[in-house]
Amino acid sequence: VTIPGASTPIARGGGVGAPEDEGALFPQGTRLGGHALVLQDGALWYVHNWLGEDIQEVSVPLSLGPGRHLLSAEFVRTGREDATPSPIGTLTLYVDEKPIASERIRTQPGKFGLGAALTVGRSRAPTVSPRYPAPFTLRGATIESVVVDVSGEPFVAHEAEVRAYLARD
């Protein structure tokens, strides 16, 4: 089991990334393990809590203009730790289909701890990371949809492909 890619289109009249735009976009799990995509303090960040023992973060300052934006996190497995059955790989954050930050992380096999509810736009206690409070409800932005892809196939931006095709002579 690896971390699924989570794509979250959000929209806000004044732009995304202002200090008032914050909340848990896509949390799953608890302090005993889990992962979350979060807007907080003018940054987009992803946290993976490995069994409550190792909290790993990928974070980047975020300042986007008004309108719709696609915020995504993608994990690509590159191997397995020798000492544990944990997959290792690269977690990449994307904004509007462009990579903006990457870090090597390890994930945990199986479920994300006890009570590992997946929520959208809010996080309840206990949160995946002590860095954000509970409840941590999204404010200042609107989530239009969430896509979780565990197929293992690379992400394909079909709209971008069609735009490129139509732009040809």
Side-chain angles (χ1 to χ4, degrees), residues 3 31 34-41 43-50 53-61 73-75 89-93 100-107 127-133 136:
I3 299 173
R31 295 272 168 92
H35 64 129
L37 187 61
V38 178
L39 279 175
Q40 186 180 32
D41 299 327
L44 173 66
W45 58 283
Y46 175 89
V47 60
H48 186 279
N49 180 332
W50 189 85
E53 296 179 10
D54 183 17
I55 296 177
Q56 307 156 94
E57 294 182 4
V58 180
S59 180
V60 65
E74 177 185 45
F75 176 75
T90 303
L91 187 288
T92 303
L93 294 176
I100 57 171
S102 291
E103 293 288 334
R104 180 183 153 104
I105 66 169
R106 68 178 165 165
T107 67
T127 60
V128 174
S129 169
R131 184 171 161 186
Y132 64 91
F136 198 44

Side-chain angles (χ1 to χ4, degrees), residues 84-125:
T84 70
S86 298
I88 56 174
T90 303
L91 187 288
T92 303
L93 294 176
Y94 293 84
V95 173
D96 297 329
E97 301 173 15
K98 295 180 182 102
I100 57 171
S102 291
E103 293 288 334
R104 180 183 153 104
I105 66 169
R106 68 178 165 165
T107 67
Q108 65 196 54
K111 282 188 136 183
F112 286 115
L114 302 173
L118 184 153
T119 57
V120 174
R122 65 182 170 83
S123 186
R124 54 187 178 188

Side-chain angles (χ1 to χ4, degrees), residues 16 28 33 37 51 55-57 70 74 84 97 99 103 117 133 137 146 149 158 160 169:
V16 175
Q28 179 183 21
L37 187 61
L51 300 171
I55 296 177
Q56 307 156 94
E57 294 182 4
L70 180 66
E74 177 185 45
T84 70
E97 301 173 15
E103 293 288 334
T137 302
V146 173
D149 181 354
H158 295 290
D169 288 333

